[in-house]
Amino acid sequence: MIKNSRKPGKLLAVSGPSGVGKSTITNQLRSDDRFWISISATTRKMRNGEVDGIDYHFVSDEIFEKMINDGDFLEWAAFAGFKYGTPRKAVDEALALGKNVILEIELNEARQVRKNSKNAILIFIEPPSWDELTTRLINRGTESELSTQARLARAREELSAAAEFDHVLVNHQVDASVSELVSLALR
């Protein structure tokens, strides 16, 4: 019998408010062979420029419901009329290959991961300041003023939950935050 001498990877759930830089930080790790960025399943329709299996796994409501009932998700949630979830099998396979798996997820989904995966490392990304977060969201230019205000209200709630996480990284500078995240995975 051949034993797998490969050390399993670590599961890192990265969360934080909109505009804090979660995607920017995790995208920096896409080219690092030691990491695998999880791809969520969703019931929403594909947007222009998106690729199935790269941006999301696009599935029907019926398939998503079956996946829920079969326990196929590590976490899942409904948002804005659509469902999003992390397929458990792909995560487990990447971990078994020794990859450090990054989940970029919302607060409530991080709480589900905490319940469903005792070895997960939960990492909360904070902005350097409230003013900086406000500036980042406004400068995105992708939201209406009403939507920006709603995101800021939600951010206040999310920031108050930072103590629930194993580690808090303040995103002063992206490269430093990426280095800290890598350090947490490689400990």
Side-chain angles (χ1 to χ4, degrees):
M1 175 184 264
I2 299 172
K3 287 188 176 183
N4 183 357
S5 62
R6 199 173 302 173
K7 182 178 160 190
K10 293 181 182 172
L11 177 60
L12 298 107
V14 176
S15 193
S18 291
V20 79
K22 298 181 302 288
S23 295
T24 303
I25 292 167
T26 58
N27 283 335
Q28 297 269 331
L29 296 172
R30 287 193 186 278
S31 61
D32 188 324
D33 290 343
R34 299 170 295 183
F35 292 88
W36 182 74
I37 311 302
S38 177
I39 301 167
S40 295
T42 184
T43 59
R44 80 163 171 74
K45 300 295 178 217
M46 196 181 316
R47 296 177 183 149
N48 284 340
E50 289 183 326
V51 178
D52 186 38
I54 302 289
D55 298 293
Y56 286 97
H57 298 289
F58 295 94
V59 300
S60 67
D61 283 314
E62 294 78 20
I63 290 173
F64 201 99
E65 283 300 320
K66 181 177 180 345
M67 293 174 77
I68 291 170
N69 293 332
D70 291 347
D72 292 345
F73 289 115
L74 183 59
E75 59 78 21
W76 73 273
F79 177 74
F82 302 106
K83 295 182 184 94
Y84 298 83
T86 301
R88 183 186 307 270
K89 183 179 177 189
V91 169
D92 290 343
E93 288 172 354
L95 290 170
L97 290 172
K99 300 284 186 181
N100 296 295
V101 175
I102 306 288
L103 307 179
E104 182 189 325
I105 55 179
E106 301 297 322
L107 174 62
N108 288 330
E109 289 74 39
R111 289 171 173 154
Q112 287 181 50
V113 169
R114 170 70 79 210
K115 276 196 260 182
N116 296 329
S117 181
K118 298 192 186 338
N119 294 328
I121 301 168
L122 273 56
I123 301 161
F124 192 82
I125 310 292
E126 282 189 347
S129 69
W130 181 256
D131 289 342
E132 177 67 20
L133 181 63
T134 302
T135 300
R136 287 179 188 179
L137 283 174
I138 291 169
N139 288 345
R140 268 184 174 178
T142 59
E143 310 282 335
S144 67
E145 184 169 337
L146 186 62
S147 177
T148 299
Q149 292 309 315
R151 286 186 185 271
L152 287 169
R154 185 171 173 184
R156 284 201 189 279
E157 292 175 36
E158 291 169 327
L159 288 167
S160 69
E164 296 177 34
F165 288 73
D166 300 312
H167 302 279
V168 175
L169 302 182
V170 179
N171 188 16
H172 290 285
Q173 202 272 333
V174 172
D175 289 340
S177 295
V178 170
S179 293
E180 285 184 67
L181 188 58
V182 168
S183 174
L184 291 171
L186 301 181
R187 282 187 186 168

